[in-house]
Amino acid sequence: MNGETLHRRIDVGGVDIFYREAGPPDAPVLLLPHGYPCSSFEFRNLLPRLGDRWRLLAPDYPGMGYSDTPEHFDYSFDGYAQLLDGFVRALGVERFVLYLHDFGSPIGARVAIMQPERILAQIIQNGDIPYEDALGDKYAEIEKSWSLPEREMRAEIGKAISEDVFREEFLNDVRPDLVPRIPPDLWKLHWSLITPRRREIAIDLIGGLKANRSWFGAHRRYLREHHPPTLIVWGPQDFYMPEKSARAYLRDLPAAELHMLDGGHWLLETNLDEVVPLIRDFLDRTLC
């Protein structure tokens, strides 16, 4: 059925990957790389809402969600991008729209840079931005750890790998009246999937934000040179990515369509009924 969500597994380079899928197999593809500390679970409500017209693919990264946690894997933004590239190739997908949210933004953007001609369009929703001067105040707490010796930095980051902090990450900076819209399943489920090995992987990824800064220029250059059709939907109640973060994209994508909604970092939980028609309209106009 077109709107039905299917739950599948696929081998990608020797790694067992879990993914969610909806939509006709011959429809235009919307690729959904997830954020942190989440998984493809974040797209569970979006898939059936768009699966009548488009094929949606939402994989779990290695070491997250229901995918395998191989001992030998490059648990970095580069490593995840290579995995995501292998995922679309394994499924025979040649062109696709990218949905960029949270950590899925630097991962998905790396895939776009590999072969820009594959990207039909992009939807950016509170994605980790490539503009240092437009980051939210909360990023300063992460940056403080970067001056520490490696061992101390990892210990400091490790303090943030807890159920209480996961809850804080999902509630983020939304107004009290929006909090009841965010289900505790988000932090309860994803905390239950943490193992000692996965905790170290999370530390690697968060610590990798420092090295990721050197990649910002390449990301901005890609946007400037290839100007993919872009829809920006943003929840400004976000202590990592406030309103100024969304507007920063307009420096390199002046033709992008920007919608500022009354929500926060996890718009698909709080503002799904607003996001869906914006995406449908954008895809109808862009892919016709």
Side-chain angles (χ1 to χ4, degrees), residues 30 46 91 117 170 186 234 285:
L30 176 55
L46 183 67
L91 289 173
E117 67 276 7
F170 285 113
L186 285 166
W234 212 268
R285 287 183 283 109

Side-chain angles (χ1 to χ4, degrees), residues 113-165:
I113 290 170
M114 289 177 194
Q115 285 186 266
E117 67 276 7
R118 291 189 298 184
I119 307 306
L120 296 169
Q122 60 181 5
I123 299 166
I124 307 175
Q125 187 257 297
N126 293 74
D128 276 29
I129 64 169
Y131 304 95
E132 298 94 326
D133 63 321
L135 294 166
D137 294 339
K138 187 74 170 179
Y139 254 97
E141 296 181 16
I142 298 174
E143 292 168 355
K144 287 178 183 177
S145 69
W146 293 352
S147 62
L148 299 172
E150 177 74 13
R151 187 170 181 177
E152 293 179 34
M153 181 182 77
R154 293 184 66 83
E156 188 64 26
I157 294 172
K159 295 176 183 178
I161 315 299
S162 70
E163 183 176 348
D164 286 343
V165 175

Side-chain angles (χ1 to χ4, degrees), residues 143-254:
E143 292 168 355
K144 287 178 183 177
S145 69
W146 293 352
S147 62
L148 299 172
E150 177 74 13
R151 187 170 181 177
E152 293 179 34
M153 181 182 77
R154 293 184 66 83
E156 188 64 26
I157 294 172
K159 295 176 183 178
I161 315 299
S162 70
E163 183 176 348
D164 286 343
V165 175
F166 276 21
R167 179 179 182 274
E168 179 182 337
E169 291 289 324
F170 285 113
L171 297 183
N172 202 295
D173 201 28
V174 297
R175 291 194 319 271
D177 61 296
L178 292 179
V179 168
R181 299 186 189 181
I182 301 177
D185 309 72
L186 285 166
W187 57 88
K188 291 289 186 181
L189 169 63
H190 293 95
W191 177 247
S192 75
L193 294 172
I194 291 292
T195 64
R197 179 69 183 113
R198 288 187 168 198
R199 182 176 181 275
E200 293 301 309
I201 290 168
I203 292 173
D204 288 342
L205 198 60
I206 296 171
L209 287 170
K210 180 180 180 180
N212 189 57
R213 288 288 174 89
S214 65
W215 175 81
F216 278 12
H219 188 180
R220 294 193 299 265
R221 187 165 54 252
Y222 161 76
L223 297 176
R224 201 162 50 243
E225 294 178 357
H226 296 280
H227 44 83
T230 301
L231 170 69
I232 304 173
V233 286
W234 212 268
Q237 298 165 41
D238 185 341
F239 48 41
Y240 288 112
M241 299 291 164
E243 180 172 339
K244 66 179 180 180
S245 301
R247 297 195 181 280
Y249 276 107
L250 300 179
R251 302 173 191 175
D252 295 307
L253 295 169

Side-chain angles (χ1 to χ4, degrees), residues 37-54:
C38 208
S39 67
S40 61
F41 185 76
E42 75 169 271
F43 299 112
R44 70 197 182 284
N45 296 321
L46 183 67
L47 271 71
R49 297 286 290 270
L50 297 178
D52 61 324
R53 296 279 305 282
W54 299 281

